[in-house]
Each structure stands twice: as C-alpha cells, then as structure tokens.
Amino acid sequence: MSYPTKLLFNKDGVSLSATLLTDSDSPTSNNNIVTDDDEDIEHNGLILTLYLHRHTEKNAINPTIIQLMIQALDVVDSHPLVVNTNNKSLIVTALDDDADSKSGGKFFCNGLDLEWMLRANNNNSSTSNETNSSDVNGGNNATSSPTIDNCPTSKMIQDFNSLILARILTLPFRTIAAINGHCIGAGLFLALACDYRLMRTERGYIQWPEARLGMRMTKGFAELSKAKIDTHRVLREGLLTAKKYTSSEALEGGIIDAQYPIGELYREAFRWAMDGLPESGLSLEYFDPKTYTEMKIEMYTDAYRALRFGSVENLPYSRI
C-alpha cells in the first residue's frame, strides 16, 4: 500500500516527513502528497522520517546541521499532526543526492566536520592572540582561562550532545537509524542514540575514528557507546583500534540489529517502525509518552546525564 506523506520541514539539506498510516488509499489532493487541506485525513499513526542530505559536507556535524536538526525536532514536538497522536515512530537516514540511484548515498554521516573545526580553532586562536596583546598593552595582566564560551568546537560538540543526542535518545516513541552509507564518529553516535540500527549491506562501514585522529572520547560519547554496546570485546576493539566494521561485522558485534540490501533498507526500517508503534504495533493498552521517556532515561541514565548535562571540557576521570 502507498501511504500519503506530508513534508513537515525542509531546509538546507535537512528534512522531515510524516507518512500517514491509513486503512485504505485515502484521497489526497496531489498524488499521495498531503497538503494543509488534507490534514483531516483519518489515520492510525505516523511514521516520521528525518532525512540528512547535506551532500557537499557528507552530512558532517557542524553548527549549521545541528541547528537544522534542532528545528526539525522542534517540529516533531509542536506540529499538530504529530502531537495529536501517540502512535508514531521515527526513522533517521540519509537521502541520496540522486533520487533515481539504486545504490544509495555514500555517507550516512561522516562524523564531526573537521574542516569546520580547524577553521574555527584558527579563527579563535587569532582572536585570542589579538585580545591578549590588547590586554598586555593596556596594562591588564589578567588572563582568562579557556571555557566552552570561547571554544567554538567544544560548544558545537556540547550542543550536539545535549540538544540532539540526548533528545533522540529519550524520545517517547521508537527510533530507528537506517544506515545507508558510511557511519563514522558523530554519525555513529547519532545512530547509537536511536533505539535500533539497520545497515545496508555491501557498501559503507561503521567506525569510532578517535584513535586514528588522535582525539579523546568526550564523556557523553563514551557513555553512549557503553550504554548501547554490551560486549566489552567490541568496545575495546572499536575504540582502541579504530576498526572499520562492515554490516556483517557490525551485526555480529551487536552494533546494529539487522542488515539489508540497499534496495530493501528503508522498506525494512519502515516495517520496524510500524512494528514498534505503541498502540497498533506493540498493543500497549495504557501507553504514556511521558513515562516512556522516563523509562529510557532510567535505561540509559549515565549516557543521558553525560550527554544532557555534562561538559565536553571535563577530563575523563573515573567517578568516585
């Protein structure tokens, strides 16, 4: 069955759509594209899809895509079509730049935007040097310690942790990452924030790249990895060797839940999303979205706290 779909958000390479689950082919004004005039269509639930398609940046995480994702998630929390039903699920995936391509896109998310980080650090360093020179010439010997407010890369990562990952981690409905390309670093953490992960076969890999790049794990990234990967052997191998996991290796290691050919990936993700609908899929008679979120926070307490409230400037000392 072909279900009607409404585009809820679309800006600069991030979009959000809602597929209305109807009992039969409901009439719409434009070939199953729901317009504002069609929003009274009766439906049994929604499958939301968050698409990343900033192709020139390989969907890398930088302040622009973070703000766009925040805007899309705000729509999830506010649009009448979405908030008026508890029976919904969310798929997060990349959208290929060639709509007719059968091979899928190359990148789900290529991690942190290292080029942006380098530019931001260089600009910040130049500004700091000018400020320090001014302070010295003016007779002010006090120097300020680095804080997140004057470190743009730290602020970006903290925004990604607290405003994106913590939010997706605890959404009050099923979330599924349909990994249809390379899933590296921050892209992997985006997928780990989802309840389930499905990956395409034959092409693309998953990687924790920090050891290769000479970067340490932030507390939030580390706790999220530990919360979602239950095998110490896989964590040790993935984090300390920067291994590139194929879909079959990721499935064997418990990083993903299933693998499918690219032509079947979204369809299967849609099926997983339908199966997880609280009312029609799981038959949860007294489902309450507030307690569902609280349940996720209890399941992933350390990861949630580190992502939502932790500072990326904190050194990775063990808790006392």
Side-chain angles (χ1 to χ4, degrees), residues 58-240:
K58 303 174 183 178
N59 294 330
I61 301 301
N62 56 37
T64 301
I65 197 171
I66 289 171
Q67 290 305 313
L68 291 168
M69 293 176 70
I70 290 171
Q71 292 175 45
L73 292 173
D74 286 346
V75 172
V76 172
D77 287 340
S78 62
H79 195 287
L81 189 64
V82 182
V83 299
N84 288 335
T85 180
N86 291 332
N87 207 37
K88 56 200 172 194
S89 296
L90 171 70
I91 299 169
V92 179
T93 193
L95 185 65
D96 187 20
D97 53 354
D98 180 1
D100 297 325
S101 173
K102 301 299 182 183
S103 62
K106 184 176 181 180
F107 292 92
F108 171 79
C109 175
N110 197 37
L112 297 175
D113 190 337
L114 300 181
E115 292 183 4
W116 179 91
M117 293 172 67
L118 180 61
R119 291 196 305 271
N121 286 339
N122 287 340
N123 292 339
N124 190 59
S125 177
S126 298
T127 302
S128 298
N129 290 336
E130 292 174 4
T131 301
N132 291 338
S133 175
S134 175
D135 288 343
V136 171
N137 293 333
N140 182 0
N141 294 325
T143 57
S144 59
S145 299
T147 66
I148 192 169
D149 293 327
N150 56 28
C151 182
T153 58
S154 293
K155 184 180 186 308
M156 177 192 72
I157 295 171
Q158 189 152 316
D159 286 348
F160 180 59
N161 284 357
S162 62
L163 303 178
I164 302 296
L165 297 184
R167 194 169 178 181
I168 291 177
L169 181 69
T170 56
L171 283 171
F173 42 80
R174 177 173 289 193
T175 55
I176 299 164
I179 304 169
N180 51 353
H182 296 316
C183 181
I184 302 167
L188 173 55
F189 301 131
L190 177 61
L192 289 175
C194 296
D195 298 324
Y196 297 91
R197 286 157 295 285
L198 316 181
M199 186 177 176
R200 64 172 297 176
T201 58
E202 299 180 357
R203 182 179 176 186
Y205 60 83
I206 282 175
Q207 184 188 39
W208 285 272
E210 286 76 12
R212 176 174 60 85
L213 297 174
M215 300 171 64
R216 72 173 179 87
M217 297 278 285
T218 68
K219 186 69 171 173
F221 291 164
E223 292 296 340
L224 181 60
S225 298
K226 289 187 283 186
K228 293 302 185 84
I229 308 299
D230 58 8
T231 304
H232 174 72
R233 174 186 58 81
V234 175
L235 274 176
R236 179 182 61 195
E237 177 183 63
L239 272 64
L240 300 184

Side-chain angles (χ1 to χ4, degrees), residues 244-285:
K244 296 179 179 180
Y245 290 87
T246 64
S247 62
S248 58
E249 291 170 333
L251 181 61
E252 181 182 2
I255 304 172
I256 63 173
D257 298 282
Q259 58 177 337
Y260 300 100
I262 186 60
E264 303 174 13
L265 180 64
Y266 184 80
R267 182 172 68 248
E268 290 299 324
F270 197 92
R271 179 179 63 81
W272 280 63
M274 289 188 65
D275 289 346
L277 291 169
E279 297 168 1
S280 59
L282 299 175
S283 301
L284 304 178
E285 295 91 339

